[in-house]
Amino acid sequence: MMMMKNPLDPEEFRRQAHLVVDFIADYYSNIENYPVCSQVEPGYLTKTMPQSAPLQPAPIETILQDVQKHIIPGITHWQSPRFFGYFQSNGSTGNFLGEMLLTGFNSVGFNWLASPAATELEMLVMEWLLKLLQLPNSFSFSSSGGGVIHGSTCESFVCTLIAAREKRLQSGTKGDALGKLVVYCSDQTHFSLQKACQVVGISPHNVRSIQTKRSMNFQLSPDALLTAIEADVRAGLIPLYVCLTVGTTPTTAVDPLLTLSEVARRFGMWVHVDAAYAGSACICPEFRHFLDGVEGANSFSFNPHKWFLTTLDCCCLWVKDQSDLTKALSNDPELLKNKASETKKVVDYKNWQIALSRRFRAMKLWMVIRSYGVTGLQQVVRKHVKLAKHFEALLSADNRFEVVVPTNFATVCFRVAASDELDSNPLTQSLLESLNGSALVYMTHAVIEGVYVIRVAIGATLTEEKHVLMLWDMVQQHATHLLAKYISPN
Amino acid sequence: MMMMKNPLDPEEFRRQAHLVVDFIADYYSNIENYPVCSQVEPGYLTKTMPQSAPLQPAPIETILQDVQKHIIPGITHWQSPRFFGYFQSNGSTGNFLGEMLLTGFNSVGFNWLASPAATELEMLVMEWLLKLLQLPNSFSFSSSGGGVIHGSTCESFVCTLIAAREKRLQSGTKGDALGKLVVYCSDQTHFSLQKACQVVGISPHNVRSIQTKRSMNFQLSPDALLTAIEADVRAGLIPLYVCLTVGTTPTTAVDPLLTLSEVARRFGMWVHVDAAYAGSACICPEFRHFLDGVEGANSFSFNPHKWFLTTLDCCCLWVKDQSDLTKALSNDPELLKNKASETKKVVDYKNWQIALSRRFRAMKLWMVIRSYGVTGLQQVVRKHVKLAKHFEALLSADNRFEVVVPTNFATVCFRVAASDELDSNPLTQSLLESLNGSALVYMTHAVIEGVYVIRVAIGATLTEEKHVLMLWDMVQQHATHLLAKYISPN
């Protein structure tokens, strides 16, 4: 058999990578020609792809044809300007270049020595963001805190839960006491917290999901939190951890951080603030007030991979006391011993996360910040918020619709207005199905206090005013059609 | 202020990404001009970088100059042909193109609907690999098993530990019983297992790290495992999980899977086989025997991001009963409810892992397999093994050196030969420091049964025969120099 070229041959790399750059640039140029949500049936790929790995190499040109023909039809186009589902994950050229560089270097930065730049750039970028978000200095490396990039909010939940658990129980004395630990959140908190509790061995019976109300804009009430904690303490349980949210997933509600963290601190609890979605907005001074009270937290996280022009995966976590994390997550095997680590003058990020190995994610965040600057990143947030407020105003001016909660950021929650004759929930659900069925737009839903709402998350990078106006036209047309059917079903 | 161009403007994307392709191709062309291990001092980056995020955007040309000037000096060049440290993480053009595509699409495939292609391509690739590794059909989706791509071996440990824990304890009845669960491994098992146990709430006191011996090539002994289990059962503890390794990190030892899993099954334990490094070799028929007995396992994992031309992060995990994973890791929030999931005809990978969100990692694995074919991937393994055997033969023929364990794969463990006058450990350590100090090569070490060994992991994609011969020249020269100093220290 012929020996193939080295798989990292620089000239072959150059040739093929240029082809793929053009492929992706063309994809973005044509993205509006695709259905936003993939229209394939389950199992579509199995029918078209060979059932065993090919023995021989294929030329890149053939592979790209297959991507176009077989993969793209199965993709839900999160980068489409008409994608309004879940929360967006908005990519950018700067981010893409960062991913290219970090993949190209592929330095496995588990400790400082394994690639000093990976560690030091991460520390630098986390300090930049700390200042940008006006987080208190107690979260800074210059104090006893510090920041780390995780892959997901769930990983940040797991790591801070373990830190809190070990701090409370002291290592090795677990056993019975683990069954007594209780975690608190609201019924609006992201469901990843439940899973994180499951991961670290906290029983689902010991997770208190405290009810919120529409009349309170779905904020967690300090009184309700206190009542729940006191009941557990009376029952001999141990309040461990509370998760507060700035920008909840269903409705972007904002918990009152200051009063809630004061309640939690009275019981020596760990306070985590999850601003996965809304954190990015807080780089604008006019939104920073949503973080007021964050100084009462032990840890804070937000996801640049939602609204900071950054792709998966990138979740920034800060802790006030880095030793809380490193005491719980460190190990020091012979294989990784080195003089730099022994000086204790360097950060070994393996002790700040679950896995040993880690991608050089700081590179993409640094590229994003360098490429757009703070002013550019603020511009993006403001544009999306302005579009959302405009869409909210259009809905509010039409008595067929009801905006269910105030639009804090750039996600609008609305439904078909209820009346005596109309049952809003099934109608709103039908409206969503009708809109998504067009494949021209994509949105998702939430059910809050029994109310079915359509969530419109405006934040894809390519989304412009014309896309939101097109959505508004569609909402009106589909609603007209639906209501006509409902009122005269024959 | 001027409005900037859209951050995903296709033509600007095209222009900038082409520049970065050339930057990286040039990096690979010049990679041998850099010190393999970064020579910077702790804190080097803080001194050169601004302490706050820039307000204004920078042109890509300026940013790339900064990467060249400030970032590259801080990188340890894992892709260098003279990188022989840890285990390699070997990239390739095919992998790079896959990362480009998955970043470009940035579809967040937590469930089938969120991007059907992401789920279905992952299932397809995992079935391809299952056949390629000749894993038993019980691990296939066509049976009741299936495969998933995780980010790291540690994540696979965590998820299988939780699956085993929940299966044993039944959900919600934890409390006391959790403190009784015991996990077994050898003293050669990767330390990530200890951390994974810590994560899921199993006390370090309940992790049995069973001693291995050089005389047994550092294999875990079935008798020693049985003895340890029986002692725990007598003490009222519950044997839960054993981790067996094919290709341990210190010396690439291979545990005897068949007899060990028979012991474990007698006690109803979960058996996990970790072939993080050596799994890739088992795509060659001549190495497949190292997996004999894997049919006795509940789960099996290997890392394409070590030796399968794939960059971080990519760990493939198969389980025999997918419901073990999904019962332990599922949640079904309203926000993600959709008709495809309700049919139960699709796989929702969020229920197979820790986090909700997931990158479209199957894309890079598929690109690697398509780009090189099975024959090309086998060629890579065979080339590295051949180079390692050659290096081993050179060492064996020189009585100043001792090969400490047989070279099973492409990692050679050697030391300076001990004699009455020579204390091998400090000399071997000095030899490693002297070699690494040249910055022309990079290796790491292990300490096994008190013996300090230099580990030479041959597996970087660009490594050719000339690099191994250069290493051999250097080893001889540095040893000559050191031994001369030692024998006549004045």
Side-chain angles (χ1 to χ4, degrees):
Chain A
M1 195 190 60
M2 284 271 294
M3 285 299 288
M4 64 180 181
K5 261 193 195 162
N6 188 295
L8 266 182
D9 176 81
E11 294 318 310
E12 194 57 28
F13 173 93
R14 195 187 304 269
R15 185 183 78 81
Q16 297 193 21
H18 280 311
L19 287 177
V20 174
V21 166
D22 286 327
F23 183 90
I24 298 173
D26 292 345
Y27 167 72
Y28 290 136
S29 293
N30 296 324
I31 198 164
E32 294 201 53
N33 299 330
Y34 301 117
V36 181
C37 184
S38 171
Q39 302 293 302
V40 299
E41 293 293 320
Y44 91 100
L45 201 64
T46 320
K47 290 173 198 144
T48 56
M49 289 273 183
Q51 296 309 298
S52 300
L55 291 181
Q56 298 304 327
I60 181 64
E61 293 81 0
T62 307
I63 300 175
L64 288 177
Q65 281 168 16
D66 286 347
V67 172
Q68 188 67 48
K69 193 169 165 198
H70 300 302
I71 308 290
I72 287 185
I75 287 181
T76 292
H77 301 282
W78 285 63
Q79 302 313 301
S80 165
R82 292 186 261 102
F83 181 92
F84 304 105
Y86 312 104
F87 284 130
Q88 73 279 355
S89 174
N90 64 8
S92 64
T93 299
N95 164 85
F96 188 89
L97 308 182
E99 280 280 3
M100 287 170 87
L101 288 169
L102 77 89
T103 302
F105 296 137
N106 190 34
S107 61
V108 182
F110 34 76
N111 58 15
W112 180 85
L113 183 67
S115 223
T119 297
E120 299 205 8
L121 197 67
E122 185 159 334
M123 294 171 71
L124 182 86
V125 168
M126 293 302 286
E127 293 288 303
W128 282 8
L129 288 171
L130 173 133
K131 288 177 191 166
L132 203 47
L133 290 166
Q134 299 178 54
L135 294 180
N137 195 56
S138 50
F139 286 105
S140 164
F141 282 106
S142 67
S143 176
S144 57
V148 59
I149 303 179
H150 280 171
S152 64
T153 301
C154 196
E155 184 177 355
S156 290
F157 284 155
V158 167
C159 291
T160 50
L161 278 166
I162 297 168
R165 186 191 73 190
E166 296 301 301
K167 195 175 180 174
R168 182 55 71 100
L169 298 185
Q170 308 303 328
S171 191
T173 61
K174 281 170 210 141
D176 299 4
L178 184 51
K180 293 189 177 155
L181 301 177
V182 187
V183 170
Y184 303 82
C185 60
S186 90
D187 58 4
Q188 304 296 304
T189 303
H190 197 273
F191 48 88
S192 288
L193 181 70
Q194 298 268 357
K195 185 146 164 185
C197 289
Q198 168 86 343
V199 167
V200 307
I202 291 172
S203 161
H205 301 307
N206 282 5
V207 182
R208 308 276 170 263
S209 179
I210 299 168
Q211 205 183 346
T212 58
K213 291 179 186 157
R214 186 176 171 191
S215 59
M216 297 280 293
N217 283 329
F218 300 103
Q219 296 183 333
L220 177 58
S221 142
D223 287 342
L225 176 65
L226 181 61
T227 306
I229 293 173
E230 286 178 337
D232 286 324
V233 170
R234 277 196 302 275
L237 299 175
I238 307 168
L240 178 72
Y241 182 106
V242 62
C243 178
L244 313 180
T245 308
V246 176
T248 61
T249 307
T251 68
T252 75
V254 177
D255 291 330
L257 304 186
L258 191 65
T259 45
L260 286 165
S261 56
E262 277 169 5
V263 169
R265 273 213 307 276
R266 269 190 260 162
F267 297 88
M269 292 165 64
W270 184 289
V271 178
H272 180 76
V273 173
D274 166 25
Y277 165 68
S280 299
C282 301
I283 64 167
C284 300
E286 66 271 31
F287 297 113
R288 173 56 179 77
H289 67 92
F290 286 114
L291 292 187
D292 285 354
V294 69
E295 55 276 13
N298 298 73
S299 49
F300 169 81
S301 60
F302 92 105
N303 292 356
H305 70 222
K306 287 197 166 62
W307 199 8
F308 201 74
L309 299 184
T310 304
T311 55
L312 272 187
D313 47 358
C314 191
C315 171
C316 293
L317 169 73
W318 287 266
V319 290
K320 221 176 231 172
D321 186 346
Q322 56 171 267
S323 73
D324 287 340
L325 270 190
T326 56
K327 276 183 197 161
L329 294 166
S330 289
N331 51 17
D332 188 23
E334 180 65 36
L335 190 78
L336 299 182
K337 282 190 178 155
N338 68 84
K339 284 177 182 164
S341 296
E342 279 160 19
T343 63
K344 309 263 177 202
K345 281 184 188 160
V346 296
V347 165
D348 287 338
Y349 271 127
K350 72 180 173 60
N351 301 330
W352 294 56
Q353 64 174 21
I354 299 174
L356 168 67
S357 298
R358 58 205 319 272
R359 300 168 71 231
F360 186 1
R361 295 188 193 106
M363 178 58 82
K364 61 180 179 172
L365 213 36
W366 182 76
M367 288 294 289
V368 164
I369 300 172
R370 291 296 307 273
S371 295
Y372 306 108
V374 173
T375 51
L377 290 160
Q378 288 172 336
Q379 227 174 72
V380 168
V381 166
R382 286 172 180 144
K383 176 173 120 180
H384 294 145
V385 172
K386 193 175 156 198
L387 291 175
K389 298 277 187 195
H390 183 49
F391 188 68
E392 182 188 33
L394 292 167
L395 286 164
S396 301
D398 187 325
N399 61 14
R400 293 174 297 172
F401 306 109
E402 179 191 354
V403 175
V404 179
V405 290
T407 302
N408 286 328
F409 303 102
T411 300
V412 183
C413 297
F414 78 99
R415 63 169 177 165
V416 178
S419 71
D420 288 348
E421 316 94 79
L422 294 179
D423 186 354
S424 173
N425 279 7
L427 257 180
T428 307
Q429 183 169 358
S430 298
L431 177 60
L432 178 61
E433 285 167 5
S434 168
L435 288 162
N436 285 349
S438 73
L440 292 171
V441 292
Y442 188 64
M443 288 158 292
T444 49
H445 76 284
V447 177
I448 41 174
E449 225 176 47
V451 171
Y452 188 103
V453 299
I454 298 175
R455 294 168 71 265
V456 183
I458 296 173
T461 309
L462 291 168
T463 302
E464 302 288 353
E465 189 179 23
K466 65 178 176 185
H467 303 106
V468 175
L469 293 179
M470 177 197 170
L471 174 64
W472 171 236
D473 280 347
M474 286 182 65
V475 166
Q476 292 176 91
Q477 284 167 23
H478 286 247
T480 302
H481 186 70
L482 257 180
L483 288 167
K485 268 210 307 194
Y486 196 89
I487 290 163
S488 51
N490 304 318
Chain B
M1 196 189 58
M2 283 270 295
M3 282 302 285
M4 63 180 183
K5 262 193 196 162
N6 189 295
L8 266 182
D9 176 82
E11 294 319 310
E12 194 57 27
F13 172 93
R14 196 187 304 268
R15 184 184 79 81
Q16 297 193 21
H18 280 311
L19 286 177
V20 174
V21 166
D22 286 327
F23 183 90
I24 297 173
D26 293 344
Y27 167 73
Y28 289 137
S29 292
N30 296 323
I31 198 164
E32 294 201 53
N33 298 331
Y34 301 117
V36 181
C37 184
S38 171
Q39 304 291 302
V40 299
E41 293 292 320
Y44 90 100
L45 201 63
T46 319
K47 291 172 197 144
T48 55
M49 290 273 184
Q51 296 308 299
S52 300
L55 290 181
Q56 298 304 328
I60 181 63
E61 293 80 1
T62 308
I63 299 174
L64 287 178
Q65 281 168 16
D66 286 347
V67 172
Q68 188 67 47
K69 194 169 164 197
H70 300 301
I71 308 289
I72 286 187
I75 286 182
T76 292
H77 301 282
W78 286 63
Q79 303 313 300
S80 166
R82 292 186 261 103
F83 181 92
F84 304 106
Y86 313 104
F87 284 131
Q88 73 279 356
S89 176
N90 64 8
S92 64
T93 298
N95 164 85
F96 188 88
L97 308 181
E99 280 279 2
M100 286 170 86
L101 289 168
L102 79 89
T103 301
F105 296 138
N106 192 34
S107 61
V108 182
F110 34 77
N111 58 16
W112 181 86
L113 183 67
S115 221
T119 297
E120 298 205 9
L121 197 67
E122 186 160 333
M123 294 171 72
L124 182 85
V125 168
M126 292 302 286
E127 292 288 303
W128 283 6
L129 288 171
L130 174 133
K131 289 178 192 166
L132 203 47
L133 291 166
Q134 300 178 53
L135 295 180
N137 195 55
S138 49
F139 286 105
S140 163
F141 281 106
S142 67
S143 176
S144 58
V148 58
I149 304 178
H150 281 169
S152 64
T153 300
C154 196
E155 185 177 354
S156 290
F157 285 155
V158 166
C159 291
T160 51
L161 279 167
I162 296 169
R165 188 191 72 189
E166 296 302 300
K167 194 175 180 173
R168 183 55 71 102
L169 298 185
Q170 309 302 329
S171 191
T173 62
K174 280 171 212 141
D176 299 4
L178 185 51
K180 292 190 178 154
L181 300 178
V182 187
V183 171
Y184 302 82
C185 61
S186 90
D187 58 3
Q188 304 296 304
T189 303
H190 197 272
F191 49 86
S192 288
L193 182 70
Q194 299 267 357
K195 186 146 163 185
C197 289
Q198 168 85 344
V199 167
V200 306
I202 291 172
S203 160
H205 301 308
N206 283 4
V207 182
R208 308 276 171 263
S209 179
I210 298 168
Q211 205 183 347
T212 58
K213 291 178 187 158
R214 186 176 171 191
S215 59
M216 297 280 292
N217 283 329
F218 299 104
Q219 296 184 333
L220 177 57
S221 143
D223 287 343
L225 176 64
L226 180 62
T227 305
I229 294 173
E230 286 178 338
D232 285 324
V233 170
R234 278 195 302 275
L237 300 175
I238 305 168
L240 177 72
Y241 182 106
V242 61
C243 178
L244 313 181
T245 308
V246 176
T248 60
T249 306
T251 68
T252 73
V254 177
D255 291 331
L257 305 186
L258 190 65
T259 43
L260 286 165
S261 57
E262 277 170 5
V263 169
R265 273 213 308 275
R266 270 190 259 162
F267 298 88
M269 293 165 64
W270 184 289
V271 178
H272 180 75
V273 174
D274 165 24
Y277 165 68
S280 299
C282 301
I283 64 166
C284 301
E286 67 271 31
F287 297 113
R288 173 55 179 78
H289 68 93
F290 287 113
L291 292 187
D292 286 353
V294 69
E295 55 276 13
N298 298 74
S299 50
F300 170 82
S301 60
F302 92 106
N303 291 358
H305 69 222
K306 287 196 165 64
W307 199 9
F308 202 75
L309 300 183
T310 303
T311 55
L312 275 184
D313 45 357
C314 190
C315 171
C316 292
L317 169 73
W318 287 265
V319 290
K320 220 176 233 174
D321 187 345
Q322 57 172 267
S323 74
D324 287 341
L325 270 189
T326 56
K327 275 182 197 161
L329 294 166
S330 289
N331 52 17
D332 187 25
E334 179 65 36
L335 189 78
L336 299 182
K337 282 190 177 151
N338 68 85
K339 285 179 182 163
S341 296
E342 279 160 21
T343 63
K344 309 264 177 200
K345 282 185 189 159
V346 297
V347 165
D348 287 339
Y349 271 126
K350 71 181 174 61
N351 301 330
W352 295 56
Q353 65 173 22
I354 299 174
L356 168 68
S357 297
R358 57 204 321 272
R359 299 168 71 231
F360 185 1
R361 295 189 193 107
M363 179 57 83
K364 61 180 180 172
L365 213 36
W366 181 76
M367 288 294 289
V368 165
I369 300 173
R370 291 295 307 272
S371 295
Y372 306 108
V374 174
T375 53
L377 291 159
Q378 288 172 335
Q379 226 174 71
V380 168
V381 166
R382 286 172 181 147
K383 175 172 120 179
H384 294 145
V385 171
K386 192 176 156 197
L387 291 175
K389 297 279 186 195
H390 183 49
F391 188 68
E392 181 187 34
L394 292 168
L395 286 164
S396 301
D398 187 326
N399 61 12
R400 293 175 299 173
F401 305 110
E402 178 190 352
V403 176
V404 179
V405 290
T407 302
N408 286 328
F409 304 101
T411 300
V412 182
C413 297
F414 78 100
R415 63 169 177 164
V416 177
S419 72
D420 288 350
E421 314 95 78
L422 293 179
D423 186 354
S424 173
N425 280 8
L427 258 180
T428 306
Q429 185 168 357
S430 297
L431 178 60
L432 178 61
E433 284 168 5
S434 169
L435 288 163
N436 284 348
S438 73
L440 293 171
V441 291
Y442 188 64
M443 289 158 292
T444 49
H445 76 284
V447 177
I448 41 174
E449 225 177 47
V451 170
Y452 188 103
V453 299
I454 298 175
R455 294 169 69 266
V456 183
I458 296 174
T461 308
L462 291 169
T463 303
E464 303 287 352
E465 188 178 24
K466 66 178 176 183
H467 303 106
V468 175
L469 294 179
M470 177 197 169
L471 175 64
W472 171 237
D473 281 347
M474 286 183 64
V475 166
Q476 291 176 93
Q477 282 167 26
H478 285 247
T480 302
H481 187 69
L482 257 181
L483 288 167
K485 266 210 309 193
Y486 196 89
I487 290 164
S488 52
N490 302 316

